[in-house]
Amino acid sequence: MLLKRSTRGAHSAKPPVLIRSQCFVDILEERRLRSDLGHALRTFRPSPYKGGPSCSAADLPKIVLESQHLRYVVKEIATETGASPEEVREEASAILEEMSQNLQLGFIRLLGYIFTKVFKRLFTSINVNMEGLKALQQAIQESPVILLPNHRSYVDFLVISYIMFTYDIPVPVIAAGIPLAGMKIVGAIIRRSGAFFIRRAIGSDKLYWAVMSEYVRTIIKTGFAPLEFYVEGLRSRTLKSLMPKLGMMHMVLEPYFKGEVYDIQLVPISLSYDRVLEESLLALELLGVPKLKESTTGLLKASKVLQDDYGIMHVNFGRPMSVRRLCRGKINLRQYNLIPRAEAQACVSWLAHLMVRIQEEGSLISPWSLMACLLLQAPTAVLTEQGLPWHQLTEKTIWLRKLALDFGALPDPDVMSSAVALHHSVVRREAGRVYLVREEEPERKRPISPEEDVIRSAAAVLMMVSYRNQSLHLFVRPALLATAIGVTKTAQRDELFAFFCFLRDVFSNEFIFIPGESSQDFEEACVLLRKCGAVHISEQEVTASDAGLEALSFLQALLQPFIDSYQVMFRFLCEDKVHVFAEKQFLPAVRNLATKLILSGELHTYETLSSDTQKNVLSALRRLETLAKLES
Amino acid sequence: MNAAMASNSSGGGSDRQRIAQQRLRIIAGHLRRPVDVDSTILAAECKAQDSKTDVSSEGKTVPRRRQEIMKWNGWGYSDTKFLFNKKGQAEFTGKRYKLSGMIMPALKDWLEDTFGTNLQHKSPATPILTSSAVQPPTLNEAFVEELKSTGIPFSHDAEDRVFRAHGHCLHEIFALREGKVGRVPDLVVWPNCHNDVVRIVELACKHNVCLIPYGGGTSVSSGLECPPEETRSIVSLDTSQMSRILWIDEKNLTAHMEAGIVGQDLERLLNESGYCTGHEPDSMEFSSLGGWVATRASGMKKNIYGNIEDLVIRVKMVTPQGVIEKSCLGPRMSTGPDIHHFIMGSEGTLGVVTEVTMKIRPMPEYQKYGSVVFPNFEQGVACLREVAKQRCAPASIRLMDNEQFKFGHALKPQVSSMFTSFLDGLKTFYITKFKGFDPNCLCVATLLFEGHREKVLQHEKQVYDIAAQFGGLAAGEDNGQRGYMLTFVIAYLRDLGMDYYVIGESFETSVPWDRVLDICRNVKLRIIQECKDKGVQFQPLASCRATQTYDSGACVYFYFAFNYRGLSDPVHVFEEVEHAAREEILANGGSLSHHHGVGKLRKEWMREAVSNVGMGMLKSVKDYVDPNNIFGNRNLL
């Protein structure tokens, strides 16, 4: 584990890394040996879906516009609004044009060329599991396939398309947010590389829904190309999985629900970055610095990121999963027999959550993420001032790595010293101690205020928090149980279960729990804690073992920032006499309160300052029907 | 008084003469009908009448002892079967069918290619039924005594009983071939007329005996299976001897028949008088009029003549509560829910249908077969949909998928003038000239036109024009005719398959137009998937055809067969796959059954199919009509 990682450039024939019988291959290796242009101009011979009638890119909009469903909706809207059907049709056509992808192999090649250059620069290696790729190749010929990557970086979908192109797999059509389409040149390039654009807030625009669902449906029914979208909906600023969005998932599954296709294969894809390109932006966004509009110049400015090393990227293609098999016994398709449309929300939600869980399970846990877990458990002041002894950190990390493996982590064979070196923007190692790196103090006339100092620390901490979040999913269930044991001080299994469920319920906007599977989650937590020797389990009781104190206190401490943050916000809401407030006021108000509490030494976590945590609290309270959203 | 005699009217005599004859016939018909009984059972003597009318039953196809002409463990006539001759060529024996005596050289290869069969690996049937395999009858002595005194013939011979214990489900035939016999009726009775049935039902009620009506024995829904839990004596009431045409009314174009008459006799006898019913289910050689009514049958030519519910004017059924019938022959009534709809589809759970008045039509002046080849199934379905939309469907229009199209080839006889070579014709003409037709995708629609010559030709043009819009190409009359003829021999083919480890079955559904393609694809894929999952070693045959068109949907027929070598319990696997296929049909918006009925095979889905209240309605009718479950075949509910 402490072996030195081979330095950049010296890429001798590395044996493929074997992880849980999965074989990861560095796809950049060959690129470093051969011509980039040759790669871009290679013959691309994908084996497409065999089941459907073939459909050309030009036919696609025609099929959509002439579909019975869309014609019906057009007529309906025309009647409702008094517009002529032609006008509505025009409008539908315009929506479709705005939306449509324009997949062109030439652009894929161009991108292939550029990406080879860029990726080789950015990453030490891009490791892809070949087994998953082979299964995908097979699945694409048999059924319509949906690719479901997690979303951690802008480059996610580019990397996937690049891999598909390299391995002769049909390049996917990708659902992307409309802001990307507005970017000069880049928008056009992305469109030509297969992205189609959807508006973020569609709301009740009936025509838009109709066009979009028909478009998606047609792509799936004809097996035009694999469809790719982010089940989390957004890029996760915290690197923690987001609650899945159901709209797109539902749309994608509908052809199966209605029997228009025999089956659909879902392929969850886990992308794990040693270091994400956007890391510095993430923390600032979370602290309320407004999000940079996605623009081409912004992207170019970001080109300084190209100067840096981002380590290894892992792309883990999950086993293709048959929707038909997954839905067996979960949904009665006969409900679709009588009416053209019915809701299957529960099943869709279950599936979407399951996909995110599988993405989590497929992610690699880097030692850096484990180190972040540990570093964050030390007081921030210590980290910035005295630093943490290096040997202490490494020992503890080795212990945690064992725990992680016990909990079923896919271990990343990375080493700690190079991990710290890679993340020089977050930590620095100096004279046997590790320090948290804060942004350089700008030259100022007046001394920095204590509040500003808090923000400065927070930016550094939140960056580390993001990396901790990469491994949080692994520990969250046992951590809930550890907390339950710590808080309730009981050994009674059913009492623990009740408290476990309570915590799970409160935090289910924070972590991904599959709806309706609380007892499975509890079981899993019990099994894992017993496996690492932290608890004894009998039929009635769960008791902490003496040997397990280290693990239990680590797990509790892992959850503590969340509990503290939630409580600050609950306190704010209880103290605030006003019963109606605007979300825009809430966020800064909470931030002020938290800053005060941090300065007074009452609050020990900076995570309360994160807008992500704040928004999650609001969503959780709305879900628990403690808060209600008033439409203005 | 002979019904057949009364029907001769084409002599060209004056109108008055004809009207007089007509009148006479009607009077004669009325005279023979027993004085109406209210709701009580009146055991009127009908022996004398019997001897009077016996004359007409001489040409009867179905003897009391069916085993004299029919197989006990397979389909159809004993003299007719497929076999591989010494040269290893498939041959169809007997003289009854156009295909009889012919050699089908391609069949062997098709079997081997489709199923992976091998002529060396045989799975022969037990040749004879050993009577020791049959449980001795549990007789209700008092019932038997009284039955004897009525003079109605009956038997408790093992063969007679076994013959009436099954329909033609795969599991039923498979068990018989292995010489296995489950619960069988304890007694078989052959009533000769309506009043005989009234007597039998009365006795059954009196002595609490379970009655199971038996018509042609062609059920494919486990409808004839004796419920194993039945402890009472089971009596099979075989209507085959009640097969007379009682009168023909040319003025109103109706005919009155006893319900035991089988389809081929009914058509033949009516044809002799220049009429037909036009009701031609695929099983018409053996299935009976009463059976059609009891299962809501559908005929191939329903587009012109209608399904059984459109054809029936009046039904007489004997129930434990008495006889149910309407008081007039009015063509339509608004008298509450139609009581015929309690009878049609009751599947023998309420009583025995004894007599039926049915619409008849003059025999069509002109018949013409036809066929169209489509580049793929999708185009074919689109064409059928358009034909239905324009309401110009010919008497019959059927669309076979590619697998069935290939199967059709396999049955091409060696030498035959009537069969212009389908394969060669297609190969040289369509496939070479119109290269767009992929022989592994194309499919064929078979057509049958009927009516006045002029109109048929017009109609034909209309249909071919529509077909052309969907890329269809006319493929000749012979192909069409052959397609329809195969319907009658295909059931024999299953027996051949079973000699070589291949088991199969057909099942049907009806489905809205927009789901036809989806259901066809999904059900076929489900069958293939399930076979794989259940350990079937060979790729199964999963094939379908759209056999009927309606305004809002179509009837779809599936064929499913596989080679079961290597399976320890093939019938169980088969049933699981069939079950899954039905689930798939229901999940895709198909109906539980279009015309095969529910029987016991599809009972589990009945509640969902008709809702709780619907089920309650049917149950309450059963409770009123047959409170002691005399008609205890336990079908449907």
Side-chain angles (χ1 to χ4, degrees), chain A residues 221-235:
Chain A
K221 268 180 67 180
T222 56
F224 175 77
L227 186 83
E228 176 179 318
F229 73 96
Y230 299 115
V231 64
E232 295 165 292
L234 299 166
R235 184 164 54 92

Side-chain angles (χ1 to χ4, degrees), chain A residues 49 51 68 221 257-263 324-325 328 332-334 336-339, chain B residues 515 518-519 521-523 525-527 529-530 533 583-584 586-590 605 608:
Chain A
Y49 175 48
Q68 206 189 346
K221 268 180 67 180
F257 289 157
K258 288 187 175 173
E260 291 168 338
V261 293
Y262 178 71
D263 198 357
R324 178 172 274 269
R325 273 177 205 277
R328 190 172 291 166
N332 182 354
L333 297 182
R334 286 169 221 171
Y336 287 90
N337 293 348
L338 302 178
I339 27 172
Chain B
R515 290 170 174 273
D518 293 332
I519 209 171
R521 176 193 57 238
N522 291 352
V523 171
L525 285 172
R526 178 75 180 262
I527 288 170
Q529 176 80 52
E530 292 285 336
D533 292 353
E583 288 280 354
E584 191 64 35
L586 296 173
N588 282 275
W605 293 289
E608 202 180 345

Side-chain angles (χ1 to χ4, degrees), chain B residues 11-63:
Chain B
S14 70
D15 265 7
R16 265 175 70 190
Q17 210 179 342
R18 231 192 61 218
I19 292 165
Q21 270 186 350
Q22 185 87 48
R23 188 87 199 106
L24 205 67
R25 259 194 310 269
I26 292 167
I27 295 169
H30 282 294
L31 277 180
R32 253 207 336 274
R33 290 170 55 211
V35 187
D36 236 329
V37 283
D38 291 322
S39 57
T40 52
I41 296 169
L42 221 157
E45 183 57 52
C46 69
K47 282 297 138 204
Q49 193 186 39
D50 206 5
S51 58
K52 258 198 288 173
T53 50
D54 230 17
V55 208
S56 71
S57 62
E58 270 176 359
K60 216 174 268 178
T61 318
V62 189

Side-chain angles (χ1 to χ4, degrees), chain A residues 358-394:
Chain A
I358 294 172
Q359 288 173 351
E360 288 183 336
E361 279 165 13
S363 300
L364 277 89
I365 305 293
S366 68
W368 167 241
S369 175
L370 298 178
M371 287 160 96
C373 290
L374 294 165
L375 286 167
L376 283 167
Q377 294 192 4
T380 313
V382 172
L383 280 184
T384 49
E385 308 301 330
Q386 296 98 319
L388 215 62
W390 172 248
H391 72 91
Q392 197 185 320
L393 180 62
T394 50

Side-chain angles (χ1 to χ4, degrees), chain A residues 96-357:
Chain A
L96 190 60
E97 207 166 302
E98 173 196 281
M99 189 181 293
S100 289
Q101 52 78 31
N102 185 13
L103 188 63
Q104 289 178 1
L105 195 57
F107 274 84
I108 300 285
R109 293 187 188 285
L110 174 66
L111 289 182
Y113 180 71
I114 298 172
F115 288 167
T116 308
K117 295 266 182 230
V118 174
F119 289 157
K120 279 198 297 195
R121 226 190 151 83
L122 288 176
F123 299 107
T124 311
S125 61
I126 296 181
N127 289 346
V128 178
N129 67 327
M130 282 303 149
E131 217 173 302
L133 213 53
K134 276 197 200 107
L136 174 61
Q137 214 154 15
Q138 188 62 36
I140 278 177
Q141 297 174 43
E142 288 163 3
S143 305
V145 166
I146 312 298
L147 303 176
L148 300 164
N150 54 359
H151 196 7
R152 299 291 173 265
S153 165
Y154 283 127
V155 295
D156 291 340
F157 75 94
L158 301 174
V159 170
I160 291 170
S161 293
Y162 180 77
I163 295 171
M164 306 280 267
F165 171 68
T166 307
Y167 287 94
D168 271 345
I169 300 173
V171 178
V173 165
I174 307 136
I178 207 102
L180 280 177
M183 291 165 76
K184 281 174 214 149
I185 313 170
V186 175
I189 293 178
I190 293 181
R191 202 186 278 276
R192 283 178 174 75
S193 54
F196 67 96
F197 297 99
I198 44 182
R199 296 180 191 162
R200 283 236 194 276
I202 305 168
S204 55
D205 187 341
K206 211 157 128 188
L207 188 62
Y208 196 87
W209 270 113
V211 173
M212 175 165 141
S213 62
E214 198 57 39
Y215 187 69
V216 168
R217 184 171 157 252
T218 309
I219 289 172
I220 292 172
K221 268 180 67 180
T222 56
F224 175 77
L227 186 83
E228 176 179 318
F229 73 96
Y230 299 115
V231 64
E232 295 165 292
L234 299 166
R235 184 164 54 92
S236 169
R237 268 64 169 165
T238 58
L239 304 190
K240 183 155 57 71
S241 305
L242 301 178
M243 286 262 280
K245 299 271 185 296
L246 305 184
M248 191 67 175
M249 194 71 176
H250 196 277
M251 214 173 272
V252 157
L253 294 177
E254 210 171 59
Y256 168 71
F257 289 157
K258 288 187 175 173
E260 291 168 338
V261 293
Y262 178 71
D263 198 357
I264 293 174
Q265 302 275 347
L266 302 181
V267 181
I269 304 174
S270 312
L271 299 150
S272 328
Y273 293 87
D274 267 1
R275 188 175 162 208
V276 279
L277 277 63
E278 300 90 339
E279 62 175 18
S280 57
L281 299 177
L282 295 179
L284 294 178
E285 268 182 50
L286 291 173
L287 288 169
V289 179
K291 185 195 168 188
L292 297 170
K293 194 161 180 280
E294 282 139 335
S295 71
T296 309
T297 42
L299 194 77
L300 288 176
K301 268 183 208 152
S303 63
K304 68 167 187 199
V305 301
L306 296 184
Q307 313 304 322
D308 220 338
D309 180 3
Y310 290 86
I312 301 176
M313 176 186 181
H314 278 95
V315 184
N316 193 355
F317 286 90
R319 190 167 41 85
M321 300 174 82
S322 146
V323 172
R324 178 172 274 269
R325 273 177 205 277
L326 288 169
C327 289
R328 190 172 291 166
K330 294 236 177 251
I331 183 165
N332 182 354
L333 297 182
R334 286 169 221 171
Q335 63 179 299
Y336 287 90
N337 293 348
L338 302 178
I339 27 172
R341 206 186 152 86
E343 288 303 313
Q345 217 55 34
C347 180
V348 172
S349 167
W350 174 80
L351 257 178
H353 281 83
L354 181 66
M355 289 304 123
V356 179
R357 288 281 289 121

